[in-house]
């Protein structure tokens, strides 16, 4: 994928266009396209994916193994974002990069990415050992919203009208005063337009997808059907570990979110990510702060 060299605006269909960055040749990259979230800021998945893509531009022949992003302040769509990449390490086994996301004079995030030699034959592969409903047997998110508008969460609504993703929830999150014990949340996601097999583009696509779902149990009063319209969510830290070089973002990916751990509005959500054939390809941990909206 080429880095684009002119100002473009994303049409919310081709993820390659969103990830494309301008380069100044000094390990600095700039994005002009933006994906707007439900509250008018830049969607966090865009920042995570572009941070990984920017870091990968200085790494040849190696695949991402870890990405950790610490968000410091909200990014606004009116200004472009500069991704400044610091080369920390290149040895026989790993490459480490640090990425700073800057908007104007403010630092909006700090990220660390690790890359290693891609080897499909090394290590042991793990598979999901229990059956779950196939994505074709489940209604799309847009269908669920149409059948029950009151259950439409503001943070998830935009994906019903966003043609880049198809989201198919497996588990319905009940509106109860207390969360169910071991209440796993599962959902399938796929891109509606195929990606080329280039660089770490498929890992960046997974990074984009990874920020699209919030569990209602993170909120103190998740018994309300419109929970996220009453609470604001700050994603403090978003971490991804890639376990397989066989990641294919053109097929359905299964996200299984473990029961969230919360304390005083602070939540930790752990998610395992599988290919359609059950191959365990990635892990995710989100550290979020939930507070009552003003």
């Amino acid at each position: 994928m080429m880095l684009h060299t002119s100002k473009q605006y994303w049409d919310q269909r081709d993820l390659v266009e969103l990830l494309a960055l301008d380069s100044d040749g000094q390990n600095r990259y700039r994005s002009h396209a933006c994906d707007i979230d439900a509250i008018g800021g830049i969607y966090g998945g865009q920042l995570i994916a572009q941070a990984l893509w920017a870091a990968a531009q200085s790494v040849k022949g190696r695949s991402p193994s870890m990405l950790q992003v610490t968000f410091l302040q909200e990014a606004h769509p009116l200004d472009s974002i500069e991704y400044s990449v610091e080369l920390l390490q290149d040895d026989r086994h790993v490459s480490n990069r640090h990425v700073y996301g800057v908007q104007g004079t403010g630092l909006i995030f700090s990220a660390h990415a690790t890359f290693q030699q891609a080897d499909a034959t090394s290590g042991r592969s793990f598979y999901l050992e229990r059956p779950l409903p196939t994505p074709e047997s489940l209604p799309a998110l847009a269908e669920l919203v149409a059948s029950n508008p009151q259950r439409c969460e503001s943070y998830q609504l935009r994906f019903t009208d966003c043609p880049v993703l198809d989201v198919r929830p497996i588990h319905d999150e009940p509106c109860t005063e207390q969360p169910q014990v071991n209440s796993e949340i599962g959902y399938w996601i796929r891109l509606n337009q195929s990606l080329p097999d280039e660089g770490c583009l498929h890992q960046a696509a997974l990074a984009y997808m990874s920020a699209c779902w919030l569990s209602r149990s993170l909120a103190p009063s998740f018994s309300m059907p419109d929970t996220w319209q009453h609470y604001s969510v700050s994603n403090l830290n978003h971490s991804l570990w890639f376990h397989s070089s066989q990641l294919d973002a053109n097929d359905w990916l299964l996200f299984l979110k473990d029961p969230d751990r919360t304390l005083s509005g602070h939540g930790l959500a752990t998610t395992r990510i599988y290919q359609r054939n059950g191959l365990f390809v990635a892990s995710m941990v989100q550290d979020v702060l939930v507070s009552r909206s003003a």
Side-chain angles (χ1 to χ4, degrees):
M1 181 179 74
M2 297 297 292
L3 301 180
H4 73 68
T5 55
S6 62
K7 191 170 184 177
Q8 297 182 9
Y9 295 93
W10 191 45
D11 62 4
Q12 295 206 347
R13 293 185 181 276
D14 186 357
L15 189 60
V16 173
E17 292 184 6
L18 178 68
L19 296 180
L21 300 168
D22 297 331
S23 174
D24 69 354
Q26 302 296 321
N27 294 316
R28 289 192 299 268
Y29 306 91
R30 187 173 294 273
S31 172
H32 294 286
C34 62
D35 183 13
I36 309 300
D37 65 19
I39 59 175
I42 292 181
Y43 166 55
Q46 172 187 340
L47 303 177
I48 298 166
Q50 287 182 325
L52 181 62
W53 185 251
Q57 300 311 306
S58 62
V59 180
K60 303 302 179 184
R62 293 182 172 183
S63 297
S65 57
M66 187 275 292
L67 175 67
Q68 183 179 56
V69 181
T70 299
F71 293 99
L72 302 174
Q73 58 181 308
E74 183 180 354
H76 301 282
L78 296 180
D79 298 319
S80 60
I81 302 167
E82 180 181 287
Y83 297 83
S84 179
V85 180
E86 184 178 356
L87 281 60
L88 300 180
Q89 178 189 25
D90 286 296
D91 63 20
R92 293 175 54 191
H93 304 289
V94 299
S95 296
N96 279 286
R97 300 290 185 266
H98 204 90
V99 184
Y100 298 97
V102 178
Q103 196 169 50
T105 59
L107 184 64
I108 58 176
F109 73 82
S110 175
H112 188 93
T114 300
F115 300 80
Q116 63 186 41
Q117 191 69 32
D119 186 353
T121 62
S122 64
R124 178 185 174 189
S125 297
F126 294 88
Y127 289 83
L128 183 66
E129 298 181 348
R130 56 191 172 91
L132 286 172
T134 63
E136 292 83 3
S137 68
L138 299 167
L141 193 59
E143 296 175 85
L144 292 177
V145 171
S147 63
N148 194 349
Q150 291 185 340
R151 295 300 303 272
C152 180
E153 308 290 78
S154 61
Y155 274 76
Q156 298 161 13
L157 174 61
R158 68 188 205 90
F159 290 98
T160 67
D161 297 320
C162 182
V164 72
L165 294 181
D166 188 350
V167 182
R168 306 285 178 101
I170 297 174
H171 305 104
D172 187 29
E173 296 188 72
C175 293
T176 58
E177 290 297 333
Q178 296 297 327
Q180 294 182 349
V181 177
N182 298 325
S183 54
E184 180 183 71
I185 300 299
Y187 46 95
W188 293 95
I189 306 180
R190 73 169 178 180
L191 294 171
N192 282 327
Q193 184 169 340
S194 297
L195 295 175
D197 185 14
E198 182 178 341
C200 71
L201 193 54
H202 287 250
Q203 288 89 344
L206 186 149
Y208 175 86
M209 298 177 194
S210 68
C212 83
W213 193 271
L214 290 171
S215 173
R216 185 185 293 112
S217 62
L218 284 169
S221 298
F222 53 87
S223 60
M224 295 182 296
D226 55 351
T227 301
W228 297 124
Q229 295 181 23
H230 298 274
Y231 289 88
S232 61
V233 182
S234 300
N235 193 351
L236 305 180
N237 186 285
H238 192 107
S239 300
L240 285 166
W241 291 265
F242 300 96
H243 307 310
S244 173
S245 60
Q246 302 176 46
L247 174 64
D248 180 8
N250 288 329
D251 200 357
W252 288 98
L253 291 170
L254 172 64
F255 290 67
L256 290 179
K257 187 183 294 289
D258 293 332
D260 304 320
R261 289 166 290 280
T262 60
L263 177 65
S264 301
H266 195 78
L268 190 69
T270 304
T271 304
R272 292 156 287 132
I273 305 169
Y274 299 86
Q275 287 284 165
R276 184 187 178 96
N277 65 359
L279 179 64
F280 183 35
V281 293
S283 298
M284 173 176 68
V285 175
Q286 295 166 285
D287 179 14
V288 302
L289 184 65
V290 182
S291 57
R292 187 83 182 187
S293 299

